Amino acid sequence: MKISEALRNYRQEIGLSQKEFIGDIISAAQYSRIEKGTQEINLSTTLLLLTSNHINVSDFIIKILPDYNNDDEGNLQTILSQQVMAAYYDNNIDELKKLLNKINKLHDATDLKLRTNLALIYLEKKEDQLDPKFKKQIINEFIKRDNWTESPTTLHLLEQSMLVFDFDQISLLTNSIFKRYQDIRDQDFLTQDRVAGICINYLYICYQNKNKSAAQKAFNLLDKLPKIPELFTYQFLIKYYKYLFKSDFNQAEEIKNILATYGLTNLAQRLPN
């Protein structure tokens, strides 16, 4: 079953109109095209639609999995990547370990293997026990690409590996991002999504290191992020960190409550206080 078909079926099963199903997450016109199969939908928007409508993410993936050709490793990696993200947001360590066993059997999936291992490290809270060789593997992925700041694969890896580096190391990498993407509005949606994720994670690191001046670089880039429904979760997170850096903790808590209302409780719980 295609993603578009699965979304339509789940929506009809719970008896919602398209407008009721999407809320403010995505425009009605865009979602109509998604259900018709004439427009693709990104992973973050899919997860947001599922969680806000209390649809089990793992069940959804199981339903769409047979429609993909598992002999095509590219398609299989895409599905496994979605399953890894779902397991991570569900805090499901056992499922991540099962997925890692499958991923380790793939021939060309270095990036996905690294990202899955990182997800396990974060959930098991083993950042301090990280093998230096593993960190070197991540660095090598950046070094071996001439234009790593323009590769969606490498941007995704950076987004998920930021917490394993010290502040100076990650600032060096993110400064390359700030220099390359001075106006994020000119980029395609996937790049906007990846770069926004990197900036949000950098704000987390800056807050932990009490470095407001470094955080301002991320805010400057994020302020140019298009205010479109597909990226609306980032708008909440931008506001959240602005409140934190102003020590307006009551307003920050309100943002966490809003995220939880949309089914993003695990995300809200991971935010710093």
Side-chain angles (χ1 to χ4, degrees):
M1 182 179 293
K2 297 289 186 184
I3 291 176
S4 57
E5 295 175 274
L7 286 171
R8 183 177 63 249
N9 287 353
Y10 273 107
R11 176 181 63 78
Q12 292 173 343
E13 282 178 14
I14 57 181
L16 296 179
S17 66
Q18 289 188 354
K19 186 175 181 181
E20 291 169 331
F21 187 71
I22 62 175
D24 298 323
I25 295 171
I26 191 174
S27 73
Q30 288 172 316
Y31 184 73
S32 177
R33 291 194 294 271
I34 288 167
E35 279 204 1
K36 291 176 182 176
T38 59
Q39 179 173 324
E40 293 185 358
I41 183 171
N42 64 69
L43 177 59
S44 59
T45 303
T46 304
L47 289 173
L48 199 53
L49 286 171
L50 297 178
T51 55
S52 64
N53 286 288
H54 309 291
I55 296 169
N56 185 284
V57 176
S58 297
D59 289 345
F60 182 87
I61 291 174
I62 290 170
K63 185 163 284 191
I64 66 173
L65 189 59
D67 201 64
Y68 287 81
N69 180 6
N70 285 357
D71 292 330
D72 182 338
E73 190 162 299
N75 281 340
L76 181 56
Q77 283 195 40
T78 299
I79 292 296
L80 287 171
S81 179
Q82 292 174 338
Q83 291 179 309
V84 166
M85 291 298 292
Y88 175 71
Y89 282 114
D90 286 341
N91 291 330
N92 194 332
I93 293 174
D94 289 339
E95 180 64 17
L96 275 174
K97 289 179 177 178
K98 292 177 184 176
L99 289 168
L100 184 58
N101 286 334
K102 293 181 182 179
I103 293 166
N104 282 334
K105 296 175 183 177
L106 300 178
H107 297 296
D108 186 23
T110 302
D111 169 73
L112 183 54
K113 291 174 186 176
L114 290 172
R115 289 192 287 109
T116 307
N117 274 297
L118 283 165
L120 277 169
I121 288 167
Y122 294 146
L123 289 187
E124 294 178 332
K125 303 184 185 305
K126 293 182 177 179
E127 295 94 328
D128 294 338
Q129 304 172 34
L130 192 66
D131 186 342
K133 291 181 180 179
F134 180 72
K135 189 183 292 188
K136 187 175 181 180
Q137 271 187 285
I138 298 173
I139 292 293
N140 285 340
E141 289 301 302
F142 300 127
I143 294 174
K144 74 181 186 182
R145 290 179 170 88
D146 291 335
N147 297 310
W148 72 265
T149 59
E150 298 177 15
S151 164
T153 298
T154 316
L155 290 175
H156 199 183
L157 180 59
L158 175 60
E159 180 185 358
Q160 293 190 243
S161 65
M162 296 174 75
L163 297 182
V164 303
F165 296 104
D166 64 38
F167 184 74
D168 289 336
Q169 289 173 323
I170 205 58
S171 292
L172 183 64
L173 290 168
T174 50
N175 280 335
S176 297
I177 298 297
F178 300 145
K179 183 178 180 180
R180 171 64 183 83
Y181 297 103
Q182 295 182 27
D183 195 340
I184 194 65
R185 292 169 295 192
D186 297 334
Q187 305 301 318
D188 60 76
F189 174 78
L190 179 59
T191 302
Q192 291 172 347
D193 190 31
R194 293 280 185 264
V195 172
I198 289 168
C199 288
I200 292 297
N201 287 345
Y202 188 60
L203 289 175
Y204 175 94
I205 293 167
C206 288
Y207 184 73
Q208 301 287 30
N209 285 272
K210 298 180 173 56
N211 196 321
K212 191 173 182 178
S213 61
Q216 190 58 49
K217 297 178 183 179
F219 282 129
N220 290 342
L221 190 155
L222 288 168
D223 284 341
K224 297 178 182 178
L225 190 69
K227 293 176 175 59
I228 58 177
E230 294 91 337
L231 297 171
F232 103 124
T233 304
Y234 291 118
Q235 299 302 329
F236 281 121
L237 294 173
I238 293 166
K239 286 183 178 292
Y240 179 80
Y241 280 104
K242 285 184 175 180
Y243 286 136
L244 276 191
F245 279 103
K246 292 177 182 176
S247 297
D248 191 342
F249 303 116
N250 289 331
Q251 289 290 346
E253 190 63 27
E254 283 297 313
I255 298 293
K256 292 177 76 170
N257 291 336
I258 292 171
L259 290 171
T261 299
Y262 279 98
L264 299 175
T265 305
N266 287 336
L267 172 61
Q269 289 174 344
R270 291 190 181 104
L271 294 173
N273 297 312

